[in-house]
Amino acid sequence: MDRIRIVGGQRLNGSIPISGAKNAALPLMIASLLTPDRLTLKNVPNLADVNLLARILRNHGVDLAVDGKRAGPAHHIGETFHLCARDIVDTVAPYEMVSRMRASFWVLGPLLARCGQAKVSLPGGCAIGTRPVDLHLMGLKELGAEIDIEAGYVIAKARGGLHGGRVVFPKVSVGATHNVLLASSLARGETVIENAAREPEIGDVAECLVKMGAKIEGIGTSTLRIQGADRLEGAVHSVLADRIETGTFAIAVAATGGDVTLEGARPELLKTALDALTKTGVEVQTTNSGIRIARNGHGIEPVTVETQPFPGFPTDLQAQLMALMTTAKGTSVIRETIFENRFMHVQELARLGADIQLHGDTATIKGVKGLTGAPVMATDLRASVSLVIAALMAEGETMINRVYHLDRGFEQLEQKLSRCGAQIERLTG
Ligand code: EPZ
């Protein structure tokens, strides 16, 4: 099993290209199930989750071709995927696949809309919480689906196809919004989704669906109005920049000090997180090519932050911010309101010398003078990268075990950091 070895204490300087967003690329790939035509996605990040979803989609009958390398400037431009689901050959998404990646549950809506039936394994809980799917099912029932749960599978049928409906989510859910948005694009008539998640990745998927022939109003707001099409067509779409990767590197620079430009980053996608960083005393500047983050000399001010659905502070940056706060000049408070169990990094950060007290959904972090390297264990994607940030700050060597979590969501993490001066290497095997 691969490990990552980091020797902390180096400042980061230079530039880092920001990849396409994992959490947009996955639902965009799933959108290919809605059309027999070719969907071309550009700027797709090369990640374990993307590759796993490619396998899952192939199992449903999607032909997938990836463009080879192109001559030209060396900067990162992501991969180009051509997906074509001419015929859906299998409407079953088996447990072995769905249990490895929750987002694959989102094939349910598109399969149902296109084929009138689908059998998709329940994803089960995961390290960060129980993560039920009741809202997905509620939404699809409003569109006319009949749903049974048998032996761990959701068995959904829509005799005569899905129809439009009014879906009022009692709670904001990114996944349930994706599932219903995708399905309603190919349902008969109008669907209104109220209390829809407003995450930019949902807007990106909606824009792609518009290119494919759906009519969608309210993109970027909490009320989406979708006129389904009888048939969706092929399209060409470029995956938007990854705001979580952007925020992660911004926090890493804040943590180590230095001066880095995040190329291709879009500040409007993570305003709340950048505001929090500004409050810590870090310089945040929008440039022509992205975002510049700089910290020279002075320490980090403590902050109080609560995770919230977009446009609030993202839960996917909570662990990284906590790593930064471990050496702040005072006490910070971070409240996690989205997932009930997203604090696994706390014990590992403590191994590096952090002083963190947990009470229910709230972590109180007393800034310490410095962290010291130690062996640690990665637990989930974002928790793992918080350990990378802590290790970059720590004195001495940190060995991070179980790094396959990082490979699910960070493209070329070691390369991007080492080019800016970090001492980081992967030990394979
Ligand atoms: C998406 O997960 C992201 N995943 C997560 O990123 C992200 O943390 C999360 O949204 C919140 O922003 C992808 O985009 C692939 P939710 P999702 O449905 O859709 C509850 C990462 O690290 N809920 O918005 O699964 C749920 O338990 C990942 O990249 C229900 O109660 O999240 C949670 O408490 C991790 N019933 C809350 O809603 C439901 O039917 C928000 O979950 C669905 C969700």
Side-chain angles (χ1 to χ4, degrees):
M1 233 185 268
D2 289 4
R3 291 169 300 158
I4 284 183
R5 178 175 169 272
I6 295 174
V7 179
Q10 312 297 322
R11 294 160 74 78
L12 296 174
N13 285 296
S15 71
I16 298 179
I18 296 302
S19 296
K22 165 180 85 80
N23 289 350
L26 299 176
L28 284 166
M29 289 168 69
I30 290 173
S32 68
L33 292 170
L34 292 166
T35 174
D37 299 342
R38 186 157 93 164
L39 177 64
T40 295
L41 298 176
K42 298 182 175 175
N43 198 32
V44 179
N46 187 356
L47 298 171
D49 270 10
V50 165
N51 296 330
L52 178 58
L53 181 62
R55 278 180 46 206
I56 294 172
L57 292 176
R58 282 195 182 103
N59 191 52
H60 294 302
V62 177
D63 285 326
L64 194 160
V66 182
D67 276 359
K69 277 187 183 168
R70 292 276 177 277
H75 65 263
H76 176 86
I77 47 161
E79 293 189 302
T80 298
F81 278 20
H82 305 281
L83 303 111
C84 184
R86 186 163 300 118
D87 299 302
I88 304 284
V89 295
D90 195 339
T91 54
V92 179
Y95 173 74
E96 301 71 53
M97 291 183 171
V98 182
S99 59
R100 289 177 62 191
M101 187 183 43
R102 291 187 58 86
S104 59
F105 185 75
W106 306 348
V107 300
L108 178 63
L111 287 176
L112 193 54
R114 173 108 179 256
C115 308
Q117 60 174 33
K119 180 176 172 185
V120 178
S121 169
L122 285 165
C126 74
I128 62 176
T130 50
R131 302 182 82 183
V133 291
D134 53 324
L135 302 174
H136 300 239
L137 304 186
M138 179 212 107
L140 293 172
K141 279 183 191 163
E142 291 295 333
L143 305 190
E146 290 164 33
I147 293 182
D148 289 309
I149 309 245
E150 277 175 29
Y153 278 80
V154 174
I155 301 178
K157 290 195 181 79
R159 291 189 185 90
L162 291 177
H163 54 70
R166 183 163 172 265
V167 178
V168 184
F169 284 124
K171 176 175 184 173
V172 176
S173 161
V174 171
T177 304
H178 275 307
N179 227 332
V180 175
L181 171 65
L182 289 162
S184 61
S185 302
L186 204 55
R188 259 188 341 274
E190 180 178 276
T191 297
V192 178
I193 308 178
E194 287 181 26
N195 202 22
R198 285 182 281 164
E199 270 62 8
E201 294 74 24
I202 289 171
D204 204 35
V205 171
E207 275 161 21
C208 180
L209 291 169
V210 168
K211 289 179 193 166
M212 293 166 72
K215 292 196 175 67
I216 305 177
E217 284 173 25
I219 295 177
T221 75
S222 55
T223 304
L224 294 170
R225 195 174 286 273
I226 304 118
Q227 299 287 344
D230 292 343
R231 183 189 192 282
L232 291 172
E233 291 167 0
V236 179
H237 186 80
S238 189
V239 179
L240 96 166
D242 195 319
R243 66 194 163 98
I244 304 302
E245 191 199 28
T246 305
T248 300
F249 286 128
I251 292 172
V253 180
T256 60
D259 193 332
V260 171
T261 299
L262 304 171
E263 302 286 346
R266 287 179 44 191
E268 75 279 13
L269 303 183
L270 68 161
K271 194 175 172 309
T272 315
L274 294 177
D275 286 349
L277 270 186
T278 304
K279 282 196 192 125
T280 70
V282 173
E283 204 180 319
V284 177
Q285 193 191 344
T286 301
T287 69
N288 287 340
S289 61
I291 306 174
R292 177 176 160 249
I293 307 287
R295 177 166 78 87
N296 291 303
H298 57 82
I300 290 289
E301 299 295 333
V303 291
T304 294
V305 162
E306 180 172 298
T307 61
Q308 287 292 341
F310 191 85
F313 188 93
T315 173
D316 289 347
L317 285 175
Q318 178 258 108
Q320 298 90 315
L321 184 73
M322 195 179 299
L324 174 64
M325 289 303 128
T326 57
T327 59
K329 295 188 286 183
T331 301
S332 306
V333 178
I334 300 183
R335 184 164 167 246
E336 169 59 54
T337 74
I338 308 289
F339 292 111
E340 70 273 20
N341 191 25
R342 208 172 198 182
F343 280 131
M344 274 97 49
H345 43 285
V346 168
Q347 286 312 315
E348 298 302 304
L349 290 171
R351 292 178 53 73
L352 302 178
D355 180 351
I356 306 172
Q357 299 295 321
L358 269 184
H359 294 287
D361 62 3
T362 303
T364 306
I365 309 117
K366 274 197 196 137
V368 294
K369 276 231 148 47
L371 301 178
T372 314
V376 289
M377 187 87 80
T379 45
D380 76 79
L381 171 57
R382 312 302 176 185
S384 309
V385 86
S386 80
L387 298 177
V388 170
I389 292 171
L392 291 171
M393 287 196 276
E395 196 187 314
E397 177 183 298
T398 296
M399 191 70 80
I400 304 180
N401 296 292
R402 292 201 190 161
V403 297
Y404 54 83
H405 290 291
L406 285 170
D407 297 332
R408 294 185 51 200
F410 288 94
E411 190 178 36
Q412 298 192 355
L413 181 77
E414 307 97 84
Q415 293 88 330
K416 288 183 182 186
L417 287 170
S418 62
R419 266 187 246 127
C420 289
Q423 268 194 52
I424 176 169
E425 64 174 333
R426 179 178 293 245
L427 309 176
T428 47

